[in-house]
Amino acid sequence: MKNFSLLFITLLFITLHTQAQTEFGLNGLGRVVVESDKLDGNLLKNDSTTTNKGVGGYFLFDLGTNLKVNNNLKASAILRVKNEYGGFFGEGTSFEFRQIMINGKIGKYVSYDIGDMYLSLTPYTLHSFDEMYNTYEAEIFKQRRQIVQYENFMHKNDWRMQGVHASSSFQFNKGIKELSVRAFGTRTNPTNDVDVPDRVFVGSRVGVVQSDLLSVGLTYTGILDIPIEQGAFIYKNNVITGDVKLSIDKEQFGVSLDGE
């Protein structure tokens, strides 16, 4: 089987910025994929029923809208328009929201996110590990990988989740340099209102930077089902870890030691 794939990736950035009491901006990403497949061989010569070639693909465009009322309230949404090849005058075109998020600050110290977001903590609690064996791949495979990562919300070491997240940090002049606190709650599986319960994933972290030499942290994550009447199985799993980082950074050399 011979597969000839032609990828056209077009990045379209539209910037529209107006400033009065609020700020509003637009950005976008477009992609066109054309695939041509062909089957060849002796078995196909006398076969009149099997299609031995075909052309497929799709066009999509993600339109991002960003609204900033002030530093305490921001909102963003991404609307996707997608059309599979083979449609006629827009037939088969789909519209959907790819992302909706509200974020901002409460007072001076607490930042919050509500909606679709990327979250990560430590390698043993919440962490998306890097893929392997892609350092020396060909450019055509790199483009395909970028599409897969974008479509599956793969961003660095973060997990894509939907819920509520809050964080805060405090600076000190004596004893310690910084104290940071984070907490979040997300839903990983919805209930069917019969025998499958809601499954939620919650977590929190407290980090202390004592100095440029030493920093420590305590992290908790838990996955649990919200009990329902006819639920046959209730799942629960809690993880608590502590971590420490020692760093020595001199002009001549640098050493860092991490443990969890």
Side-chain angles (χ1 to χ4, degrees):
M1 178 177 182
K2 299 179 181 178
N3 188 318
F4 301 95
S5 299
L6 181 62
L7 304 178
F8 299 98
I9 303 177
T10 307
L11 299 179
L12 305 176
F13 294 96
I14 307 171
T15 303
L16 175 61
H17 185 81
T18 61
Q19 184 168 359
Q21 293 182 349
T22 62
E23 296 180 7
F24 180 73
L26 295 175
N27 58 71
L29 181 145
R31 179 168 68 241
V32 177
V33 176
V34 180
E35 296 180 349
S36 176
D37 299 325
K38 180 179 180 181
L39 292 173
D40 194 7
N42 294 327
L43 295 178
L44 294 174
K45 292 182 178 180
N46 299 322
D47 188 348
S48 60
T49 60
T50 301
T51 303
N52 63 356
K53 64 176 63 177
V55 177
Y58 61 86
F59 161 82
L60 67 80
F61 184 79
D62 289 342
L63 176 64
T65 61
N66 304 280
L67 176 66
K68 179 181 178 182
V69 178
N70 49 47
N71 290 330
N72 298 326
L73 179 59
K74 305 174 186 177
S76 63
I78 298 177
L79 173 64
R80 164 166 290 189
V81 181
K82 184 175 182 180
N83 184 26
E84 300 283 348
Y85 290 155
F88 184 72
F89 284 107
E91 181 182 356
T93 301
S94 61
F95 298 84
E96 63 179 6
F97 279 102
R98 178 177 169 85
Q99 173 179 300
I100 300 177
M101 185 176 68
I102 297 175
N103 63 327
K105 284 190 174 183
I106 301 175
K108 295 182 179 180
Y109 300 104
V110 179
S111 300
Y112 68 90
D113 304 287
I114 302 174
D116 303 312
M117 67 193 74
Y118 290 98
L119 295 172
S120 64
L121 290 172
T122 65
Y124 286 94
T125 54
L126 181 61
H127 187 87
S128 178
F129 288 91
D130 297 326
E131 297 174 276
M132 300 175 64
Y133 312 116
N134 62 352
T135 303
Y136 304 104
E137 64 185 351
E139 186 66 25
I140 185 66
F141 298 118
K142 182 179 180 180
Q143 293 179 359
R144 174 67 71 176
R145 182 182 297 276
Q146 290 173 346
I147 294 176
V148 172
Q149 290 176 340
Y150 179 78
E151 291 299 313
N152 291 276
F153 302 101
M154 300 169 64
H155 179 261
K156 298 181 180 179
N157 300 119
D158 301 330
W159 278 100
R160 169 78 165 205
M161 294 190 171
Q162 185 182 67
V164 180
H165 172 249
S167 62
S168 183
S169 62
F170 306 91
Q171 308 294 326
F172 297 88
N173 296 323
K174 293 183 179 180
I176 62 175
K177 291 184 61 177
E178 182 182 1
L179 171 67
S180 60
V181 182
R182 295 179 57 192
F184 65 85
T186 64
R187 185 174 72 167
T188 60
N189 190 55
T191 180
N192 64 356
D193 295 320
V194 181
D195 56 355
V196 176
D198 276 313
R199 179 165 293 179
V200 298
F201 180 53
V202 297
S204 61
R205 174 173 171 79
V206 177
V208 176
V209 178
Q210 193 274 330
S211 62
D212 294 337
L213 175 66
L214 175 65
S215 60
V216 296
L218 181 67
T219 306
Y220 161 77
T221 55
I223 299 179
L224 59 141
D225 291 342
I226 306 299
I228 58 177
E229 240 179 79
Q230 301 179 7
F233 178 76
I234 301 299
Y235 181 79
K236 182 186 295 184
N237 184 31
N238 297 302
V239 177
I240 300 176
T241 70
D243 57 272
V244 60
K245 181 177 181 179
L246 298 172
S247 301
I248 300 176
D249 189 6
K250 301 294 183 181
E251 293 183 358
Q252 302 297 328
F253 67 96
V255 178
S256 179
L257 177 64
D258 295 87
E260 181 179 4

